[in-house]
Amino acid sequence: MIRGGRSYVLSPPAFSNDAKRLLVCTSNSVTIFSTATGLPVASLDGHAALVTAVIVVPASTPASKIICYCWTASLDGTIRYWDFSVPELIKIINVNLPIISMVIPTLLSQTAETNEKSPKTFAYLSVENTKEPEKESSKALRGQIKKFNLTNSRMAGGMTLTETKQPEIITVSSSGKYFGIRFKRKLQIWKVPTAETERAMVKKVTLHHTKNMNVLAFHPTQRIVAAGDVTGRILIWRGFGDRTFADGDGLVNGMLMNNEEERPGVRGDDDADSCTTWHWHSAEVNVLFFSSDGAYLYSGGKEGVLVVWQLDTGRKKFLPRIGSPLLWLTDSPDPSLSSISCADNQIHLLKMPSMEILKSISGIKLPCSFPEMCNGLQSGIAFDCNAGLVALRTENYCIQLYSLFDDRGVSEVVICERNHQPGDEVTVVVTLAVLSLDGSMMSTAEVKLPEEGLGGLVCLKFWALGSQNKEFSLSTIIYEPHRDAGISAIAFHPTRPMAVSSSYGGDFKVWVCNNGIQEKDQPLSNSGWTCHAVGSYKKKPMTAATFSSDGSVLAVAAETVITLWDADKNILVAVIGETLMPVVNLSFVGTSEYLVSASRGSKPQLSIWSMSKLCVSWSYMLHVEAIASAADMSSFAALALLPESSKCNEISLKGRDGVILLFNASDPVPIFTWSVNKVR
């Protein structure tokens, strides 16, 4: 089984000491990418659940940059120690609690201050308390910050530093002296003991704000902490912990800093000298990061813009728009290289300080979700089985081509030329994307949404794959191909440049290609694809369409009945059916005599039809999300959502969110089944 499409951005990545590799948390493993090529070179496999943290053991001297050790933490309740140059698992530590976040300040402090190794290594963990509370309460605290002895593989004296309603992300300073969390309207900051022992006291300060905070960052050399809130504001506390963390009597420069007039912006009795507020972002701040010299603060959020603030003056400048909401900014041992993780599942390798994108590591992008516009099963994804490519609709008016073989994004096709930015109101929806059997042609359908009840435009486009650059070029645009009705399905002929589009307006159209391709910098010619034939059946909405394996028969669903046509002569050959609910997916099963259909509604149905007998062969009451048929065999697979009762004829599928069923079309008993979680 080929697995692909894992998220690259749920947790921050980490650079190797020589900055030649980037370690990325990808589901239950860590994938190692080359920063020179952006391609995966190795992986750390073994965790049984989501990996939530990866920490590279830093080099203490320039000569030790070849060190390739790292720690990982996971929701499976384990911490693992790796040599990622091999790669090889060295050590497994059982924490027995799901780990949401982990920092190891000892590693940073050893590098920052001394080459002498501490006798013991301690980690601070954000874990989820899995014990059921004695009484059901909305105030139950599920998150805990704990100290853990990595050297002896045990909790440090059972020490719990704090409890929160939900587990929180821990942020550590680059010096390893401080770490903290944001908890609603509070920042909780701890000072790491100078001499780390299991029972060493960990002092804490709490800073308050009027809004919930999303992220915090520590200055590399000074006692300054910054936080970003949900309204787009940035707060900067200077001199935090001067009283609490002081070695003496709490005096700062010979004066007690408890006079509110001498602590501008500081709320109540918070332990800080001052608090400054900056505001540019229009939405929540997700990224905060100090430059290595501490002179600048980088901030980013939903707008996809990285703002560079001069710490002393508050002056700002803007770096080029990344194009997607920002999540993590990670620096590397090479001061000229950083990475930015974005919400569209991409990690960009950046040249500093210009923030020029050098390479992009593209994960699979989430399809845009407009259920009211995408009624057909076909509207989700399209496959090029020969090349192992998946075509996905994205939220920025593009189609992403993703390689399942290489588990990475290959390219993007801009379907609609729009200056779409994160947070912009969506005005165009790409509702369909379909690839031809050989992957050389693509067709898309898009809808311009009406504004204030006026307007609205349906557009059908055909694309051709270039023989040299292997990129799709626009061939033909057809405006309102079915008058003002929406397109329900598109299907390509298996062997010829022919396609069919069906519409909810009550007709289907067969299109043929005259090989007209738009040349670069030349006006687009509409002579590429032209309408060959039009068909309808009793003015019923046409809800699905497909060609037989040899292309001689065209099947079009007219709501609850299936019509069979001679594709060349546009003659109605037969009508079969009828189903209980409208058919939304049709597929001929390879070279066999069978046609499979899926209908949706209050009485969903998976039906297999015999073309020789023109009647149903067998069926199940199943809510089918997708169907895939083998090209040269008599088997097909169906992805089905399962009702709570899960009593579908004789198939017992109780207790699962979904299932992939593999059938031989002539036999109603599945050949094989795979369970699927969270199909929706």
Side-chain angles (χ1 to χ4, degrees):
M1 179 185 294
I2 299 175
R3 296 181 181 272
R6 296 169 292 184
S7 174
Y8 292 169
V9 298
L10 292 180
S11 301
F15 283 93
S16 61
N17 289 313
D18 58 7
K20 293 181 178 180
R21 282 161 289 185
L22 183 69
L23 284 70
V24 180
C25 299
T26 52
S27 187
N28 297 1
S29 62
V30 173
T31 303
I32 303 172
F33 292 88
S34 165
T35 57
T37 65
L39 299 177
V41 295
S43 64
L44 308 179
D45 302 311
H47 281 290
L50 192 71
V51 179
T52 53
V54 56
I55 300 171
V56 172
V57 177
S60 56
T61 64
S64 62
K65 285 187 177 181
I66 59 173
I67 291 177
C68 295
Y69 298 107
C70 71
W71 294 91
T72 60
S74 167
L75 295 182
D76 65 9
T78 68
I79 299 172
R80 300 181 182 227
Y81 188 57
W82 309 79
D83 179 350
F84 63 86
S85 64
V86 181
E88 180 183 7
L89 177 62
I90 299 174
K91 184 179 182 180
I92 301 177
I93 300 173
N94 287 307
V95 178
N96 298 318
L97 289 170
I99 303 169
I100 310 303
S101 180
M102 175 177 73
V103 296
I104 310 177
T106 311
L107 299 178
L108 299 169
S109 60
Q110 289 171 7
T111 305
E113 296 181 354
T114 177
N115 293 333
E116 297 181 6
K117 291 188 176 181
S118 171
K120 295 188 184 299
T121 301
F122 292 90
Y124 292 88
L125 311 177
S126 174
V127 299
E128 182 179 4
N129 181 12
T130 56
K131 294 181 179 180
E132 292 296 328
E134 295 181 2
K135 296 182 179 180
E136 289 293 330
S137 172
S138 60
K139 297 183 179 180
L141 301 178
R142 307 292 295 182
Q144 297 179 337
I145 304 296
K146 289 182 172 290
K147 184 176 181 180
F148 194 89
N149 187 331
L150 293 176
T151 305
N152 295 340
S153 302
R154 67 190 183 197
M155 287 292 181
M159 185 179 297
T160 299
L161 303 184
T162 193
E163 292 184 309
T164 56
K165 187 172 183 179
Q166 299 293 335
E168 302 291 346
I169 301 298
I170 308 176
T171 302
V172 66
S173 66
S174 59
S175 65
K177 293 181 179 180
Y178 307 99
F179 66 92
I181 63 171
R182 90 285 181 281
F183 176 46
K184 293 186 177 181
R185 301 179 180 183
K186 301 177 183 178
L187 292 187
Q188 295 183 354
I189 301 172
W190 291 267
K191 181 180 180 182
V192 178
T194 305
E196 272 277 48
T197 63
E198 286 200 7
R199 299 190 178 277
M201 181 179 295
V202 186
K203 296 181 179 180
K204 180 183 75 172
V205 298
T206 301
L207 304 174
H208 296 81
H209 181 40
T210 57
K211 303 293 182 181
N212 288 349
M213 292 178 278
N214 287 337
V215 63
L216 73 151
F218 291 98
H219 192 280
T221 58
Q222 301 180 44
R223 201 176 287 171
I224 298 174
V225 64
D229 72 11
V230 295
T231 67
R233 289 175 171 80
I234 299 170
L235 294 94
I236 300 176
W237 285 273
R238 290 173 167 82
F240 71 86
D242 276 346
R243 289 173 290 166
T244 307
F245 298 153
D247 295 329
D249 57 0
L251 294 175
V252 180
N253 296 328
M255 297 181 294
L256 272 173
M257 302 298 292
N258 59 0
N259 187 335
E260 207 167 295
E261 294 181 359
E262 297 174 352
R263 301 185 301 124
V266 179
R267 298 184 63 82
D269 197 36
D270 286 0
D271 189 357
D273 291 348
S274 65
C275 180
T276 305
T277 301
W278 294 338
H279 194 188
W280 177 85
H281 296 279
S282 60
E284 59 188 30
V285 179
N286 295 323
V287 171
L288 281 179
F289 194 86
F290 281 97
S291 60
S292 57
D293 60 3
Y296 298 95
L297 176 67
Y298 297 92
S299 67
K302 189 175 181 180
E303 309 91 350
V305 175
L306 206 57
V307 184
V308 185
W309 305 83
Q310 191 174 30
L311 191 62
D312 290 342
T313 64
R315 293 177 180 174
K316 58 186 177 294
K317 63 179 181 179
F318 309 98
L319 296 176
R321 190 183 292 267
I322 302 296
S324 180
L326 310 181
L327 299 178
W328 315 100
L329 181 61
T330 306
D331 66 344
S332 79
D334 179 353
S336 67
L337 182 65
S338 291
S339 76
I340 187 79
S341 302
C342 301
D344 62 356
N345 206 20
Q346 287 197 97
I347 300 176
H348 301 293
L349 298 174
L350 306 175
K351 181 180 180 181
M352 302 297 286
S354 65
M355 304 297 285
E356 173 189 353
I357 296 178
L358 302 174
K359 293 285 181 182
S360 295
I361 300 171
S362 298
I364 201 164
K365 295 187 177 182
L366 293 177
C368 60
S369 53
F370 298 94
E372 70 280 6
M373 301 300 302
C374 308
N375 297 313
L377 295 172
Q378 192 182 22
S379 62
I381 58 177
F383 290 94
D384 177 355
C385 299
N386 295 326
L389 294 178
V390 182
L392 295 155
R393 298 171 298 111
T394 67
E395 291 190 347
N396 59 345
Y397 310 128
C398 292
I399 298 293
Q400 182 195 33
L401 297 176
Y402 191 89
S403 171
L404 291 177
F405 293 156
D406 299 328
D407 195 13
R408 66 184 182 92
V410 175
S411 62
E412 285 192 2
V413 183
V414 179
I415 302 301
C416 182
E417 293 288 352
R418 298 262 173 175
N419 186 25
H420 174 72
Q421 302 298 343
D424 287 356
E425 183 179 351
V426 174
T427 58
V428 176
V429 178
V430 180
T431 58
L432 288 168
V434 180
L435 293 171
S436 62
L437 187 62
D438 62 0
S440 65
M441 297 175 286
M442 180 172 68
S443 181
T444 59
E446 64 191 57
V447 177
K448 183 180 184 298
L449 302 182
E451 298 179 9
E452 297 181 356
L454 301 176
L457 179 69
V458 179
C459 184
L460 176 66
K461 293 180 179 178
F462 289 96
W463 308 76
L465 185 66
S467 58
Q468 299 296 326
N469 58 12
K470 298 298 180 182
E471 294 183 357
F472 280 100
S473 298
L474 183 60
S475 169
T476 307
I477 302 177
I478 303 163
Y479 296 105
E480 301 287 7
H482 300 275
R483 299 176 298 278
D484 58 350
I487 300 174
S488 58
I490 304 170
F492 280 101
H493 191 283
T495 60
R496 291 158 48 190
M498 177 185 285
V500 60
S501 62
S502 58
S503 86
Y504 299 109
D507 68 353
F508 68 87
K509 290 186 178 182
V510 177
W511 309 88
V512 293
C513 178
N514 298 321
N515 297 320
I517 303 297
Q518 180 187 13
E519 300 294 336
K520 187 175 181 181
D521 300 326
Q522 295 296 319
L524 179 67
S525 170
N526 285 323
S527 62
W529 287 79
T530 57
C531 182
H532 171 69
V534 181
S536 63
Y537 183 76
K538 296 183 178 181
K539 298 182 180 180
K540 290 187 175 184
M542 311 303 269
T543 53
T546 188
F547 285 95
S548 62
S549 61
D550 61 1
S552 61
V553 179
L554 170 62
V556 184
E559 284 193 318
T560 58
V561 299
I562 300 172
T563 60
L564 303 178
W565 302 75
D566 183 313
D568 291 321
K569 299 178 181 179
N570 196 35
I571 297 175
L572 180 63
V573 177
V575 178
I576 59 176
E578 141 177 35
T579 60
L580 298 174
M581 305 300 295
V583 174
V584 293
N585 199 319
L586 284 173
S587 177
F588 281 95
V589 184
T591 56
S592 73
E593 64 155 324
Y594 296 102
L595 173 70
V596 58
S597 70
S599 55
R600 282 186 184 173
S602 59
K603 297 179 180 179
Q605 194 171 358
L606 173 69
S607 303
I608 286 70
W609 308 86
S610 169
M611 294 295 97
S612 61
K613 299 178 182 178
L614 295 179
C615 65
V616 66
S617 178
W618 53 270
S619 67
Y620 284 115
M621 299 292 288
L622 282 175
H623 181 113
V624 173
E625 283 288 306
I627 296 172
S629 297
D632 54 0
M633 295 187 295
S634 59
S635 59
F636 73 93
L639 171 61
L641 300 181
L642 301 177
E644 292 183 2
S645 60
S646 298
K647 294 180 180 179
C648 306
N649 287 0
E650 297 178 0
I651 300 178
S652 178
L653 303 167
K654 189 174 181 179
R656 297 173 182 173
D657 294 327
V659 67
I660 298 174
L661 303 166
L662 179 64
F663 290 99
N664 184 304
S666 61
D667 189 352
V669 179
I671 301 171
F672 206 85
T673 63
W674 295 271
S675 62
V676 180
N677 294 325
K678 298 180 180 178
V679 175
R680 294 184 189 276

